[in-house]
Amino acid sequence: MTDPNAIQPSELDQLPDRDPEETAEWQASLDAVTKAAGPHRAAYLMRRTLERAEGAGIALPKLLETDYVNSIPTSAEPSVPGDEAMEQRITAWNRWNAAAMVTRGSKYGVGGHIATFASAAWLYETGFNHFFKGKEADGSGDQLYIQGHASPGIYARAFLDGRLSEEQLDNFRREAGGNGLPSYPHPRRLPWLWEFPTVSMGLGPLSAIYQARFNRYLANRGIKDTAGSHVWAFLGDGEMDEPESTAALALAAREELDNLTFVINCNLQRLDGPVRANFKIVQELEAQFRGAGWNVVKTLWGTAWDELFQLDTTGALVRRLRQVPDAQIQTYQTRDAAYIRQDFFGGDPALVEMAKLLSDDKILECFHLSRGGHEARKVFAAYKAAVEHKGAPTVILAQTVKGHTLGEGFASKNANHQMKKLSVDEFKNMRDLLELPIKDSDFVDGVVPYGHPGADSPEVRYLQERRAALGGPAPARRVHPVAPLPAPAEKAFASFDKGSGSQNVATTMAFVRLVKDLVRDKETGKRWVPIVPDEARTFGMESLFPSLGIYSPKGQTYEPVDRDQLMYYKEAKNGQILNEGITEAGSMADFIAASTSYATHGEAMIPFYIFYSMFGWQRTADQMWQLGDQLGRGFLVGATAGRTTLTGEGLQHADGHSPVIAATNPAALSYDPAFAYEVATIVKDGLRRMYGEAAPGEDQDVFYYLTVYNEPMPQPAKPSVDGIDEGIVKGLYRFNTAESAGITPPANAPRIQLLGSGTAIHWALKAQQLLAEEWGVAADVWSATSWSELRRDALEADEALLRGEERVPFVRQALQGAEGPVLAVSDYMRQVPDQIAQWVEQDWSSLGADGFGLSDTREAARRHFGVDAESIVVAALAQLAKRGEVKATAVKEAREQYGL
């Protein structure tokens, strides 16, 4: 239930009522209809009345919009606790240092943004002083998604607080020396300060929604009480054009995430100019959010406008504000009073009369300076309304001026996003405006000084006292020391070592079976977070529905159609599976929230997100970078992997390149296992490294990408080979030799090494037989579980060599002494295995599925791409012929024999 004492913006009206008695009669009529005929009849009449008004040309806001005024009028604003004058001085210091930091850095050409924080300063300061809970009190504190371009202001505040030094400010965007500050919120670069990366734009709002949802998930599953945590996402109005920004609005409203607040800085500008030059972005966003079910609070005008609204007895001012497009509002910001009198007031007799009552100074104060987002009182009222609202998330649309307080050269100028510095004279004007005690003599050799009132000054003491009362500094990232998770029972992994006998099992099924065993573990089972984007049945996961349940905060309010079946569709409030519907972006946002819970909430969770491999990295690689930046841990599983295994699906579904994209991410450990025991070994090692006892020097802040296949094949027993687990984890081991495979090649037969990954190893094994039986060639078969890990190790060996350390790459060690050339093959494009070519001492060649995919049978697709067993045989003979070890005619004969 909504708190009756809380501010209810929808029940308030900025406009004065010139006939309260008439208004009361209309309201009484509505009450009478509701009582006599019910609320549905009353709603029907209201809709018909609004339609009639629209048809008659009566100017009314659309059903999803309110007038272009503040949701909370001045008379209903709560008083701001604390010392407003002190907060004004703190904000002034932060404004100054943010601008100084970027300006001083401009001499190095590293860039930076000044205007964004200048417009949003009070949006942050009000939160830091009164709302944002820190992590040193009970619970997890609040989660803050800071707008990336506002980072200088956050650094400036940390400097005032004593958390950053002047040297660090001077190294803004210069990190190579080891004491610098990253451009934007990057946890991997500054892990004690930043918690959530928010650049690229659009990913912050999407992630914030799923973070708020994951907080509820943890609470509903009984893992962590998150009732005290609130998620705040600071966004730009231009950023809302990104599809990710609004992709999950309905989810937030549907699940009643009143632990979430969006604060959209509506300075009406994006990077090159107005956000909606000919329209009104605030009204557009209000309709969008209201339509999605959000609570909307508009904070548009400052107190200087109160006099104007009191004079507006006819509604002419409100009508005019609704009419003026955003670009013209920006123009008023830069023009004199005479222009505003003529253009804004001159077209309506009522406004002409109003303007006669206003001085030029009053007009300029309103149109140049007075915005709701620039006043602590207005912002405080909006934030209070947001945190008190129950049953829906809140969006605050706060109107500001981009470049506010930076001077006429910045404010509302189209180019201000690209303007990186102020002149000395502009800084002096800014100093005078902000009333800062900085002397002209402090500008040494034209360099703008940083300003600080002193570590024991009233400003710093006040700031620190406010933060202490709210639970410590913010933003802040904390990784509380926790004991490593105990390793699951060995039985779950060892069961795959014996193979499947005569039964055909796809590696996708093997992975799902492994997870099914792991979630039963008494110690760690509850920490698994299965995530799937509406393809659970494709991956054979429906067996998990009844046992784990699909998470829904509503539970299951219906009787499922398949209730009488063993694997029925079960939703539950404490459900463990996150079945996200058709949204890879939403699923990745889920994964990021779960994978970083060890830091956000001090609760290590083990997410695995399983998806069509084609629709993972290709669609959401930007979020994988975000995941790496946020230091997430977990398992990404690209199922139905490879370019030729998904029969009939065709070009768009045939993945030949996800390992290429994965290899570009430094935090991703990418594996292409061929057999069930390899999958088990990799998952076991991943659990050890990410959640257990990592080896010295191992980075725990990594995530694993496994490709698994939907092609049922006999799963062999794990070979009894020394060092096989090391080879599986590091990326390469010899699966068999011609002799151990039961093949007896002729004496002194030429020999070749066949390296295969994933499903391709089965083609290599068939080629091994054909080479021996039909061409007298001995082939050894190697399983390359990770081309990219082999490359990573080799690159590290090269770097060590440059430091004067002798180190042999693992791939070279593994292949040492292997006779003959090497032929590598995978179900991916050739550049996947070619990653390691330069470190292989033997002659190298490769086969792969380059080009677009196509619809056909597996056999036909493999023949088309030249990766089937017969194609491997021909390629092997060609390599041996180049070395003079088989006759050149053998290649032609093989091509003809196999119809290639």
Side-chain angles (χ1 to χ4, degrees), residues 446-496:
V447 177
V448 57
Y450 292 118
H452 199 292
D456 196 39
S457 64
E459 291 92 337
V460 173
R461 288 200 306 271
Y462 180 88
L463 182 156
Q464 293 176 342
E465 288 168 2
R466 292 305 308 142
R467 288 313 314 159
L470 287 165
R477 181 178 183 271
R478 296 285 185 269
V479 181
H480 300 284
V482 292
L485 293 183
E490 180 65 25
K491 180 180 177 182
F493 306 103
S495 63
F496 294 91

Side-chain angles (χ1 to χ4, degrees), residues 182-195:
S183 54
Y184 302 127
H186 292 303
R188 188 168 284 274
R189 285 302 186 196
L190 206 61
W192 61 268
L193 178 72
W194 296 122
E195 193 167 18

Side-chain angles (χ1 to χ4, degrees), residues 239-270:
E239 181 179 5
M240 298 310 294
D241 283 348
E242 292 284 3
E244 295 88 351
S245 295
T246 55
L249 297 186
L251 166 71
R254 185 170 65 243
E255 299 202 2
E256 300 178 354
L257 298 180
D258 49 24
N259 60 340
L260 170 68
T261 298
F262 275 16
V263 181
I264 303 182
N265 178 17
C266 297
N267 55 38
L268 314 185
Q269 288 185 252
R270 52 189 178 199

Side-chain angles (χ1 to χ4, degrees), residues 207-443:
S207 294
I209 290 173
Y210 280 89
Q211 182 65 57
R213 194 279 197 93
F214 189 74
N215 290 357
R216 292 281 171 83
Y217 171 88
L218 288 178
N220 287 333
R221 290 195 55 214
I223 292 174
K224 179 71 178 282
D225 181 2
T226 58
S229 292
H230 198 89
V231 178
W232 300 82
F234 289 84
L235 321 168
D237 47 1
E239 181 179 5
M240 298 310 294
D241 283 348
E242 292 284 3
E244 295 88 351
S245 295
T246 55
L249 297 186
L251 166 71
R254 185 170 65 243
E255 299 202 2
E256 300 178 354
L257 298 180
D258 49 24
N259 60 340
L260 170 68
T261 298
F262 275 16
V263 181
I264 303 182
N265 178 17
C266 297
N267 55 38
L268 314 185
Q269 288 185 252
R270 52 189 178 199
L271 307 190
D272 289 331
V275 179
R276 293 290 183 271
N278 296 297
F279 306 94
K280 301 190 80 64
I281 186 60
V282 168
Q283 300 299 89
E284 179 182 320
L285 291 174
E286 179 185 27
Q288 196 168 13
F289 278 88
R290 284 193 190 281
W294 286 53
N295 175 46
V296 179
V297 178
K298 293 197 290 192
T299 302
L300 307 180
W301 307 111
T303 53
W305 283 81
D306 289 348
E307 179 183 342
L308 276 67
F309 286 122
Q310 290 168 3
L311 294 172
D312 185 27
T313 58
T314 65
L317 176 62
V318 174
R319 287 196 300 272
R320 181 64 178 141
L321 288 173
R322 195 165 63 238
Q323 294 166 354
V324 178
D326 284 352
Q328 192 64 17
I329 292 286
Q330 298 296 88
T331 297
Y332 294 149
Q333 173 70 35
T334 64
R335 302 300 292 269
D336 59 22
Y339 177 88
I340 297 170
R341 284 183 188 277
Q342 176 62 36
D343 191 85
F344 182 83
F345 294 96
D348 186 304
L351 292 180
V352 170
E353 292 304 311
M354 180 187 295
K356 291 178 181 177
L357 304 175
L358 304 174
S359 67
D360 286 355
D361 286 344
K362 181 66 176 180
I363 288 175
L364 292 178
E365 180 186 12
C366 289
F367 284 86
H368 283 195
L369 301 174
S370 188
R371 300 291 187 272
H374 294 324
E375 295 187 14
R377 184 182 180 90
K378 304 290 185 184
V379 176
F380 182 89
Y383 286 8
K384 188 171 187 293
V387 297
E388 291 177 350
H389 186 83
K390 302 302 178 186
T394 294
V395 59
I396 296 169
L397 303 175
Q399 187 163 261
T400 66
V401 174
K402 193 166 186 177
H404 184 59
T405 73
L406 297 180
E408 295 181 1
F410 264 84
S412 290
K413 294 297 173 61
N414 283 338
N416 62 18
H417 191 81
Q418 303 303 325
M419 297 162 69
K420 312 299 183 187
K421 59 184 178 179
L422 295 167
S423 68
V424 169
D425 287 341
E426 288 171 324
F427 266 110
K428 290 179 179 179
N429 291 334
M430 181 182 177
R431 171 201 61 190
D432 296 341
L433 175 65
L434 298 176
E435 299 180 348
L436 291 172
I438 296 173
K439 302 185 293 293
D440 285 356
S441 59
D442 293 334
F443 291 82

